[in-house]
Amino acid sequence: MGTINKDLKVRLSVLTEAEGGAAAAINHGCRPFFRYHGKKWIVVVNFFGRRMAYPGETVNAYVTFLTPIKQLGRISEGLEFELCMGPKVMAKGVVTKVIDLWRSASDAKEH
């Protein structure tokens, strides 16, 4: 089995209940919706050196798209987005670096 590509490096601010977020932490490896430009895409979120991010925290993470081909040419550094679980916004974030998105899309085309 190959290595999972790290499509993006992002900075996330996990919302508190008062901000409309949830009371629970976001888990490493979760698969929320990544919403930008009015569309939602399923991603995998992996935090740097931690297993959870709690409401009120700002953390760095890697994001991997399940549909990377559809993201090509649409995502760049500085893009603001939301992470959603169902209809609820759990975190707001910004893309700090595009890492392996092109490679992920290329790998997806081969399968």
Side-chain angles (χ1 to χ4, degrees):
M1 180 185 260
T3 319
I4 295 176
N5 289 335
K6 297 170 183 165
D7 296 339
L8 309 174
K9 181 178 177 184
V10 302
R11 185 174 52 252
L12 293 173
S13 295
V14 182
L15 302 181
T16 63
E17 280 186 284
E19 296 169 314
I26 299 174
N27 292 312
H28 176 87
C30 70
R31 292 180 178 230
F33 289 108
F34 183 103
R35 182 167 60 195
Y36 72 100
H37 299 315
K39 296 198 178 215
K40 295 190 289 188
W41 307 93
I42 299 173
V43 296
V44 178
V45 176
N46 291 302
F47 300 116
F48 295 6
R50 59 186 331 172
R51 302 302 297 162
M52 294 182 184
Y54 295 91
E57 290 186 321
T58 298
V59 298
N60 293 311
Y62 292 116
V63 170
T64 304
F65 284 93
L66 297 188
T67 54
I69 293 171
K70 300 204 181 241
Q71 313 316 317
L72 294 178
R74 297 181 180 181
I75 295 182
S76 60
E77 292 177 16
L79 175 74
E80 295 180 356
F81 63 91
E82 297 173 326
L83 286 186
C84 307
M85 295 288 225
K88 188 174 273 297
V89 176
M90 304 292 290
K92 293 186 177 184
V94 64
V95 174
T96 57
K97 186 171 185 174
V98 177
I99 303 172
D100 286 338
L101 187 57
W102 286 96
R103 184 168 52 191
S104 291
S106 177
D107 290 351
K109 286 179 187 177
E110 293 175 10
H111 294 111

